[in-house]
Amino acid sequence: MKTIKYLFAITILFTSFVSCSSDDSDDLKEENPVEGLNLVETIETDHHDIELYSANKSFMIGYNDISIRIKDQATNTYISNAEISWTPVMHMTSMMHSCPTSEVSLTENTTVSNGFIVFQMPGNDTEYWNLKLNYSIDDESFEASKNIEVIADEDDMRSVSSFMGSDNSRYVLAMVTPVNPEVKVNDFTAVLYKMEDMMTFSVVEDFTVTVDPRMPGMGNHSSPNNEDLTYNAASNMYDGKLSLTMTGYWKMNLKLLNEDGDVLKGEDVTEENIESSLYFDFEF
Ligand SMILES: [Cu+2]
């Protein structure tokens, strides 16, 4: 048995070595390209099983990085080079609206596509999210949709904020990282969208989000070496630094400034004003 395992290991080593040196044999290299992700939802059509994967076990309010694979039911194999677009719509009692999304792009493994959706609110008994997918395979077009469950964080921590700015525009700000905060200066990334109408959200460029993390349970102390979030044109996201000097409950007090430096949302933290109306929080 040991010998077999040993031989197996050698075979795997050899295989990965070979596939590293020849660029075009792509199927041996990664046996499972969604390793470590959870299959959150499968949308079944007459021809395909569309699998939606996430790092979380369910779709959550806030930023969701989602990987998609389409399985051909006839051959039981994953389809390569599918072109996919998506439209999440929340059906509320009084209205319908969408939310910020990225494009869906092919990954290095051409059977996997990837993108993100920022759900700004959870579903409930009477109000729900529906995800519609339009996709094409070898120039043939398909459509699929399913009602999906979107849940709130169980500890009620805030990683997304949907609000009206002082310029009377609606914005959605969502935290992307840190996913697993540590006692250090963490990379802090967020996405910022303007709500053009119920169905259209556009990336906001060149604004600034000031960052003031506090520990309300410990005299509301702050931390040194934070960096405000500024726009990164390469990623269409906002990058900054978040300094966490100890474990516990932190509230990241934020202010949104437009390109002229006008404050659109949020307040300074002072002796009298212990928190901003724009914030994220978490405990770690
Ligand atoms: Cu809603």
Side-chain angles (χ1 to χ4, degrees), residues 23-43:
D23 289 355
D24 31 31
S25 70
D26 45 274
D27 21 50
L28 286 173
K29 194 158 48 182
E30 295 141 314
E31 254 184 36
N32 180 7
V34 288
E35 176 95 60
L37 298 178
N38 298 293
L39 177 60
V40 176
E41 199 63 79
T42 303
I43 306 177

Side-chain angles (χ1 to χ4, degrees), residues 231-249:
Y231 185 64
N232 177 340
S235 62
N236 293 328
M237 293 186 181
Y238 283 74
D239 294 331
K241 297 287 182 192
L242 182 63
S243 166
L244 304 169
T245 50
M246 55 189 295
T247 56
Y249 173 75

Side-chain angles (χ1 to χ4, degrees), residues 90 92 95 97 120-122 129:
M90 189 182 195
M92 303 187 71
M95 56 149 167
H97 64 86
Q120 65 279 59
M121 56 177 76
W129 285 93

